[in-house]
Amino acid sequence: MATIKDVAKHAGVSTSTVSHVLNQTRYVSEDITARVKKAVDELQYAPSALARSLKLKYTHTFGMLVTTSANPFFAEVVKGVERRCYEQGYNLLLCNTEGDLERLRFNIDMLLQKRVDGLLLMSDEIVSQNLDIFARHKAVPTVVMDCGKTHFPADKIQDNSYLGGYLATQYLIKKGHRKIGCITGPINKPMAEKRWAGYQKAMQDAGLIINPDWLVDGNFECEGGQQALDKMLSRGTLPSALFVCNDMMALGVINSASKHGISIPDDLSIIGYDDIKIARFFTPSLTTIHQPKFNLGRKAFDTLLDKIQSKRENDLEIKLEPTLIERDSVKQIG
């Protein structure tokens, strides 16, 4: 395998000149540039990415940490990040935590040891455990997505979940529903707490009573929605409508309702949250609150790249606004 010294000898120049030509770090005459490029082609020289990164002090690599990339919501965010990485010539190291705190710590240590240029974090465990991810490492530019307060410097990009919860509940009220329940996510997670708070505010503004029998917490997974509806059924009569705080749980609710002979939306109206890609293919298609997931990923990448290139020291907080997507899972009554 040819080395940079072989290229320099073949072209009749110094190794530093070869480096300047390949990295475009200094002006080199057209004649010498052509000789170097010809030598590179003839010797089939491939520069070492590792050696280049050590010399230039950057790796053109971002590390990304998510709870699970198998969940359609996270998968669509990751897709947005990956697309921008490809467009800008960056590599992406993706790690999943699966809600495991030790795995989270291990992955952060591994990414920082690999000298990533920046971090993209989308894992509630960082917030709920009050972690300082840079306690054992020098801080690197970091963007946190869809999480609450952090104990380390970071830009934050998040969905306005309070408004989303309000919009979802307000929509059910406008459709004539007065008996409205809520299946929340884990209430210790910031996004779940804000969506629940939006539901409460909409009910309060409409002068409606919140029945505790129609409130169940879930785990943001299909099984959680299924178990939540089963639990609600065991308490007695169902409400006429449910705000389910993410689409994955809404899918579980639809599945459980079918098993119990409950027709949606005739017997029970449902509105979800996230607008994952398969939401339109549910039966019935799911009315939901749209989060701009792909754009969230793109925005996170662009914000991180700006932080690195501008050497900006202040931390930004960016909110992406949710919108209502009306489909077939909510019935007009009254």
Side-chain angles (χ1 to χ4, degrees), residues 220-246:
F220 279 154
E221 299 294 338
C222 294
E223 295 82 2
Q226 189 172 28
Q227 292 163 7
L229 186 65
D230 291 346
K231 186 174 183 178
M232 202 175 293
L233 279 166
S234 71
R235 295 173 177 174
T237 307
L238 289 177
S240 67
L242 280 175
F243 167 39
V244 185
C245 287
N246 84 334

PDB file of all heavy atoms in Angstrom, residues 220-246:
ATOM      1  N   PHE A 220     -44.586   4.740  26.522  1.00  0.00           N
ATOM      2  CA  PHE A 220     -44.256   5.210  25.180  1.00  0.00           C
ATOM      3  C   PHE A 220     -44.030   4.066  24.193  1.00  0.00           C
ATOM      4  O   PHE A 220     -43.499   4.282  23.100  1.00  0.00           O
ATOM      5  CB  PHE A 220     -43.043   6.147  25.180  1.00  0.00           C
ATOM      6  CG  PHE A 220     -43.363   7.567  25.572  1.00  0.00           C
ATOM      7  CD1 PHE A 220     -42.394   8.380  26.138  1.00  0.00           C
ATOM      8  CD2 PHE A 220     -44.610   8.113  25.354  1.00  0.00           C
ATOM      9  CE1 PHE A 220     -42.671   9.701  26.490  1.00  0.00           C
ATOM     10  CE2 PHE A 220     -44.911   9.429  25.700  1.00  0.00           C
ATOM     11  CZ  PHE A 220     -43.936  10.223  26.273  1.00  0.00           C
ATOM     12  N   GLU A 221     -44.407   2.838  24.531  1.00  0.00           N
ATOM     13  CA  GLU A 221     -44.308   1.699  23.626  1.00  0.00           C
ATOM     14  C   GLU A 221     -45.701   1.124  23.373  1.00  0.00           C
ATOM     15  O   GLU A 221     -46.646   1.403  24.114  1.00  0.00           O
ATOM     16  CB  GLU A 221     -43.395   0.616  24.209  1.00  0.00           C
ATOM     17  CG  GLU A 221     -41.964   1.060  24.459  1.00  0.00           C
ATOM     18  CD  GLU A 221     -41.217   1.385  23.179  1.00  0.00           C
ATOM     19  OE1 GLU A 221     -41.624   0.893  22.101  1.00  0.00           O
ATOM     20  OE2 GLU A 221     -40.229   2.144  23.250  1.00  0.00           O
ATOM     21  N   CYS A 222     -45.841   0.299  22.333  1.00  0.00           N
ATOM     22  CA  CYS A 222     -47.147  -0.290  21.985  1.00  0.00           C
ATOM     23  C   CYS A 222     -47.749  -1.055  23.167  1.00  0.00           C
ATOM     24  O   CYS A 222     -48.944  -0.933  23.454  1.00  0.00           O
ATOM     25  CB  CYS A 222     -46.997  -1.220  20.789  1.00  0.00           C
ATOM     26  SG  CYS A 222     -46.546  -0.397  19.250  1.00  0.00           S
ATOM     27  N   GLU A 223     -46.898  -1.834  23.846  1.00  0.00           N
ATOM     28  CA  GLU A 223     -47.384  -2.627  24.975  1.00  0.00           C
ATOM     29  C   GLU A 223     -47.950  -1.733  26.077  1.00  0.00           C
ATOM     30  O   GLU A 223     -48.926  -2.084  26.742  1.00  0.00           O
ATOM     31  CB  GLU A 223     -46.254  -3.490  25.542  1.00  0.00           C
ATOM     32  CG  GLU A 223     -45.722  -4.549  24.602  1.00  0.00           C
ATOM     33  CD  GLU A 223     -44.710  -4.025  23.605  1.00  0.00           C
ATOM     34  OE1 GLU A 223     -44.381  -2.818  23.660  1.00  0.00           O
ATOM     35  OE2 GLU A 223     -44.259  -4.806  22.756  1.00  0.00           O
ATOM     36  N   GLY A 224     -47.335  -0.564  26.260  1.00  0.00           N
ATOM     37  CA  GLY A 224     -47.799   0.358  27.273  1.00  0.00           C
ATOM     38  C   GLY A 224     -49.201   0.870  26.984  1.00  0.00           C
ATOM     39  O   GLY A 224     -50.023   1.018  27.894  1.00  0.00           O
ATOM     40  N   GLY A 225     -49.495   1.138  25.707  1.00  0.00           N
ATOM     41  CA  GLY A 225     -50.836   1.578  25.333  1.00  0.00           C
ATOM     42  C   GLY A 225     -51.862   0.487  25.535  1.00  0.00           C
ATOM     43  O   GLY A 225     -52.975   0.731  26.025  1.00  0.00           O
ATOM     44  N   GLN A 226     -51.495  -0.731  25.163  1.00  0.00           N
ATOM     45  CA  GLN A 226     -52.394  -1.873  25.327  1.00  0.00           C
ATOM     46  C   GLN A 226     -52.715  -2.105  26.801  1.00  0.00           C
ATOM     47  O   GLN A 226     -53.884  -2.270  27.189  1.00  0.00           O
ATOM     48  CB  GLN A 226     -51.740  -3.115  24.720  1.00  0.00           C
ATOM     49  CG  GLN A 226     -52.651  -4.318  24.634  1.00  0.00           C
ATOM     50  CD  GLN A 226     -52.008  -5.454  23.845  1.00  0.00           C
ATOM     51  OE1 GLN A 226     -50.786  -5.579  23.808  1.00  0.00           O
ATOM     52  NE2 GLN A 226     -52.815  -6.268  23.201  1.00  0.00           N
ATOM     53  N   GLN A 227     -51.687  -2.085  27.627  1.00  0.00           N
ATOM     54  CA  GLN A 227     -51.880  -2.301  29.063  1.00  0.00           C
ATOM     55  C   GLN A 227     -52.673  -1.164  29.703  1.00  0.00           C
ATOM     56  O   GLN A 227     -53.486  -1.384  30.604  1.00  0.00           O
ATOM     57  CB  GLN A 227     -50.515  -2.450  29.739  1.00  0.00           C
ATOM     58  CG  GLN A 227     -49.785  -3.721  29.353  1.00  0.00           C
ATOM     59  CD  GLN A 227     -48.306  -3.682  29.690  1.00  0.00           C
ATOM     60  OE1 GLN A 227     -47.835  -2.744  30.344  1.00  0.00           O
ATOM     61  NE2 GLN A 227     -47.566  -4.684  29.253  1.00  0.00           N
ATOM     62  N   ALA A 228     -52.459   0.058  29.213  1.00  0.00           N
ATOM     63  CA  ALA A 228     -53.160   1.211  29.775  1.00  0.00           C
ATOM     64  C   ALA A 228     -54.659   1.123  29.518  1.00  0.00           C
ATOM     65  O   ALA A 228     -55.471   1.387  30.417  1.00  0.00           O
ATOM     66  CB  ALA A 228     -52.602   2.508  29.191  1.00  0.00           C
ATOM     67  N   LEU A 229     -55.055   0.733  28.302  1.00  0.00           N
ATOM     68  CA  LEU A 229     -56.484   0.612  28.017  1.00  0.00           C
ATOM     69  C   LEU A 229     -57.090  -0.531  28.816  1.00  0.00           C
ATOM     70  O   LEU A 229     -58.214  -0.403  29.340  1.00  0.00           O
ATOM     71  CB  LEU A 229     -56.726   0.397  26.520  1.00  0.00           C
ATOM     72  CG  LEU A 229     -58.212   0.396  26.133  1.00  0.00           C
ATOM     73  CD1 LEU A 229     -58.842   1.759  26.381  1.00  0.00           C
ATOM     74  CD2 LEU A 229     -58.412  -0.014  24.673  1.00  0.00           C
ATOM     75  N   ASP A 230     -56.378  -1.634  28.923  1.00  0.00           N
ATOM     76  CA  ASP A 230     -56.881  -2.755  29.733  1.00  0.00           C
ATOM     77  C   ASP A 230     -57.102  -2.318  31.176  1.00  0.00           C
ATOM     78  O   ASP A 230     -58.103  -2.694  31.811  1.00  0.00           O
ATOM     79  CB  ASP A 230     -55.895  -3.927  29.688  1.00  0.00           C
ATOM     80  CG  ASP A 230     -55.829  -4.585  28.310  1.00  0.00           C
ATOM     81  OD1 ASP A 230     -56.728  -4.318  27.488  1.00  0.00           O
ATOM     82  OD2 ASP A 230     -54.874  -5.348  28.072  1.00  0.00           O
ATOM     83  N   LYS A 231     -56.176  -1.527  31.704  1.00  0.00           N
ATOM     84  CA  LYS A 231     -56.297  -1.041  33.078  1.00  0.00           C
ATOM     85  C   LYS A 231     -57.494  -0.122  33.218  1.00  0.00           C
ATOM     86  O   LYS A 231     -58.262  -0.195  34.200  1.00  0.00           O
ATOM     87  CB  LYS A 231     -55.015  -0.317  33.480  1.00  0.00           C
ATOM     88  CG  LYS A 231     -54.973   0.114  34.935  1.00  0.00           C
ATOM     89  CD  LYS A 231     -53.598   0.691  35.282  1.00  0.00           C
ATOM     90  CE  LYS A 231     -53.509   1.058  36.748  1.00  0.00           C
ATOM     91  NZ  LYS A 231     -52.157   1.583  37.100  1.00  0.00           N
ATOM     92  N   MET A 232     -57.689   0.748  32.223  1.00  0.00           N
ATOM     93  CA  MET A 232     -58.822   1.668  32.259  1.00  0.00           C
ATOM     94  C   MET A 232     -60.150   0.910  32.199  1.00  0.00           C
ATOM     95  O   MET A 232     -61.106   1.242  32.899  1.00  0.00           O
ATOM     96  CB  MET A 232     -58.703   2.667  31.099  1.00  0.00           C
ATOM     97  CG  MET A 232     -59.462   3.966  31.299  1.00  0.00           C
ATOM     98  SD  MET A 232     -59.158   5.162  29.957  1.00  0.00           S
ATOM     99  CE  MET A 232     -57.425   5.559  30.224  1.00  0.00           C
ATOM    100  N   LEU A 233     -60.197  -0.139  31.379  1.00  0.00           N
ATOM    101  CA  LEU A 233     -61.404  -0.956  31.277  1.00  0.00           C
ATOM    102  C   LEU A 233     -61.727  -1.647  32.605  1.00  0.00           C
ATOM    103  O   LEU A 233     -62.895  -1.804  32.971  1.00  0.00           O
ATOM    104  CB  LEU A 233     -61.227  -2.000  30.175  1.00  0.00           C
ATOM    105  CG  LEU A 233     -61.456  -1.526  28.735  1.00  0.00           C
ATOM    106  CD1 LEU A 233     -60.916  -2.541  27.744  1.00  0.00           C
ATOM    107  CD2 LEU A 233     -62.945  -1.265  28.493  1.00  0.00           C
ATOM    108  N   SER A 234     -60.699  -2.044  33.332  1.00  0.00           N
ATOM    109  CA  SER A 234     -60.919  -2.737  34.605  1.00  0.00           C
ATOM    110  C   SER A 234     -61.525  -1.819  35.663  1.00  0.00           C
ATOM    111  O   SER A 234     -62.083  -2.280  36.658  1.00  0.00           O
ATOM    112  CB  SER A 234     -59.599  -3.312  35.129  1.00  0.00           C
ATOM    113  OG  SER A 234     -58.735  -2.280  35.584  1.00  0.00           O
ATOM    114  N   ARG A 235     -61.426  -0.509  35.434  1.00  0.00           N
ATOM    115  CA  ARG A 235     -61.969   0.454  36.388  1.00  0.00           C
ATOM    116  C   ARG A 235     -63.452   0.745  36.135  1.00  0.00           C
ATOM    117  O   ARG A 235     -64.092   1.390  36.961  1.00  0.00           O
ATOM    118  CB  ARG A 235     -61.180   1.763  36.312  1.00  0.00           C
ATOM    119  CG  ARG A 235     -59.728   1.635  36.750  1.00  0.00           C
ATOM    120  CD  ARG A 235     -58.987   2.934  36.481  1.00  0.00           C
ATOM    121  NE  ARG A 235     -57.594   2.899  36.949  1.00  0.00           N
ATOM    122  CZ  ARG A 235     -56.714   3.875  36.734  1.00  0.00           C
ATOM    123  NH1 ARG A 235     -57.087   4.960  36.065  1.00  0.00           N
ATOM    124  NH2 ARG A 235     -55.481   3.767  37.187  1.00  0.00           N
ATOM    125  N   GLY A 236     -63.952   0.347  34.963  1.00  0.00           N
ATOM    126  CA  GLY A 236     -65.362   0.607  34.670  1.00  0.00           C
ATOM    127  C   GLY A 236     -65.561   1.230  33.305  1.00  0.00           C
ATOM    128  O   GLY A 236     -64.912   0.854  32.330  1.00  0.00           O
ATOM    129  N   THR A 237     -66.433   2.227  33.204  1.00  0.00           N
ATOM    130  CA  THR A 237     -66.828   2.837  31.942  1.00  0.00           C
ATOM    131  C   THR A 237     -65.690   3.652  31.333  1.00  0.00           C
ATOM    132  O   THR A 237     -64.976   4.367  32.043  1.00  0.00           O
ATOM    133  CB  THR A 237     -68.043   3.768  32.148  1.00  0.00           C
ATOM    134  OG1 THR A 237     -69.068   3.045  32.807  1.00  0.00           O
ATOM    135  CG2 THR A 237     -68.569   4.287  30.828  1.00  0.00           C
ATOM    136  N   LEU A 238     -65.564   3.569  30.000  1.00  0.00           N
ATOM    137  CA  LEU A 238     -64.555   4.342  29.288  1.00  0.00           C
ATOM    138  C   LEU A 238     -65.066   5.748  28.996  1.00  0.00           C
ATOM    139  O   LEU A 238     -66.279   5.980  28.910  1.00  0.00           O
ATOM    140  CB  LEU A 238     -64.197   3.666  27.969  1.00  0.00           C
ATOM    141  CG  LEU A 238     -63.400   2.365  28.021  1.00  0.00           C
ATOM    142  CD1 LEU A 238     -63.220   1.812  26.615  1.00  0.00           C
ATOM    143  CD2 LEU A 238     -62.040   2.583  28.686  1.00  0.00           C
ATOM    144  N   PRO A 239     -64.152   6.707  28.781  1.00  0.00           N
ATOM    145  CA  PRO A 239     -64.568   8.027  28.304  1.00  0.00           C
ATOM    146  C   PRO A 239     -64.978   7.921  26.832  1.00  0.00           C
ATOM    147  O   PRO A 239     -64.848   6.863  26.217  1.00  0.00           O
ATOM    148  CB  PRO A 239     -63.302   8.869  28.469  1.00  0.00           C
ATOM    149  CG  PRO A 239     -62.188   7.885  28.337  1.00  0.00           C
ATOM    150  CD  PRO A 239     -62.684   6.608  28.957  1.00  0.00           C
ATOM    151  N   SER A 240     -65.420   9.020  26.248  1.00  0.00           N
ATOM    152  CA  SER A 240     -65.757   9.000  24.820  1.00  0.00           C
ATOM    153  C   SER A 240     -64.524   9.231  23.963  1.00  0.00           C
ATOM    154  O   SER A 240     -64.514   8.917  22.770  1.00  0.00           O
ATOM    155  CB  SER A 240     -66.815  10.064  24.499  1.00  0.00           C
ATOM    156  OG  SER A 240     -66.280  11.372  24.677  1.00  0.00           O
ATOM    157  N   ALA A 241     -63.444   9.783  24.567  1.00  0.00           N
ATOM    158  CA  ALA A 241     -62.237  10.086  23.796  1.00  0.00           C
ATOM    159  C   ALA A 241     -61.000   9.992  24.683  1.00  0.00           C
ATOM    160  O   ALA A 241     -61.063  10.210  25.902  1.00  0.00           O
ATOM    161  CB  ALA A 241     -62.335  11.485  23.183  1.00  0.00           C
ATOM    162  N   LEU A 242     -59.883   9.677  24.037  1.00  0.00           N
ATOM    163  CA  LEU A 242     -58.598   9.571  24.727  1.00  0.00           C
ATOM    164  C   LEU A 242     -57.538  10.379  23.999  1.00  0.00           C
ATOM    165  O   LEU A 242     -57.403  10.289  22.766  1.00  0.00           O
ATOM    166  CB  LEU A 242     -58.133   8.119  24.785  1.00  0.00           C
ATOM    167  CG  LEU A 242     -58.712   7.186  25.843  1.00  0.00           C
ATOM    168  CD1 LEU A 242     -58.191   5.770  25.623  1.00  0.00           C
ATOM    169  CD2 LEU A 242     -58.376   7.679  27.249  1.00  0.00           C
ATOM    170  N   PHE A 243     -56.767  11.162  24.770  1.00  0.00           N
ATOM    171  CA  PHE A 243     -55.523  11.730  24.263  1.00  0.00           C
ATOM    172  C   PHE A 243     -54.417  10.774  24.683  1.00  0.00           C
ATOM    173  O   PHE A 243     -54.141  10.607  25.858  1.00  0.00           O
ATOM    174  CB  PHE A 243     -55.295  13.125  24.823  1.00  0.00           C
ATOM    175  CG  PHE A 243     -53.899  13.656  24.592  1.00  0.00           C
ATOM    176  CD1 PHE A 243     -53.218  13.419  23.399  1.00  0.00           C
ATOM    177  CD2 PHE A 243     -53.255  14.419  25.564  1.00  0.00           C
ATOM    178  CE1 PHE A 243     -51.935  13.901  23.184  1.00  0.00           C
ATOM    179  CE2 PHE A 243     -51.977  14.913  25.365  1.00  0.00           C
ATOM    180  CZ  PHE A 243     -51.318  14.653  24.166  1.00  0.00           C
ATOM    181  N   VAL A 244     -53.798  10.112  23.697  1.00  0.00           N
ATOM    182  CA  VAL A 244     -52.708   9.166  23.955  1.00  0.00           C
ATOM    183  C   VAL A 244     -51.405   9.873  23.586  1.00  0.00           C
ATOM    184  O   VAL A 244     -51.234  10.329  22.448  1.00  0.00           O
ATOM    185  CB  VAL A 244     -52.889   7.874  23.135  1.00  0.00           C
ATOM    186  CG1 VAL A 244     -51.815   6.863  23.505  1.00  0.00           C
ATOM    187  CG2 VAL A 244     -54.273   7.289  23.362  1.00  0.00           C
ATOM    188  N   CYS A 245     -50.486   9.962  24.539  1.00  0.00           N
ATOM    189  CA  CYS A 245     -49.365  10.895  24.420  1.00  0.00           C
ATOM    190  C   CYS A 245     -48.241  10.488  23.468  1.00  0.00           C
ATOM    191  O   CYS A 245     -47.230  11.195  23.395  1.00  0.00           O
ATOM    192  CB  CYS A 245     -48.806  11.208  25.806  1.00  0.00           C
ATOM    193  SG  CYS A 245     -49.893  12.292  26.750  1.00  0.00           S
ATOM    194  N   ASN A 246     -48.356   9.378  22.773  1.00  0.00           N
ATOM    195  CA  ASN A 246     -47.527   9.165  21.581  1.00  0.00           C
ATOM    196  C   ASN A 246     -48.186   8.104  20.696  1.00  0.00           C
ATOM    197  O   ASN A 246     -49.064   7.347  21.140  1.00  0.00           O
ATOM    198  CB  ASN A 246     -46.068   8.820  21.915  1.00  0.00           C
ATOM    199  CG  ASN A 246     -45.829   7.360  22.217  1.00  0.00           C
ATOM    200  OD1 ASN A 246     -46.732   6.649  22.652  1.00  0.00           O
ATOM    201  ND2 ASN A 246     -44.599   6.909  21.987  1.00  0.00           N
TER     202      ASN A 246
END
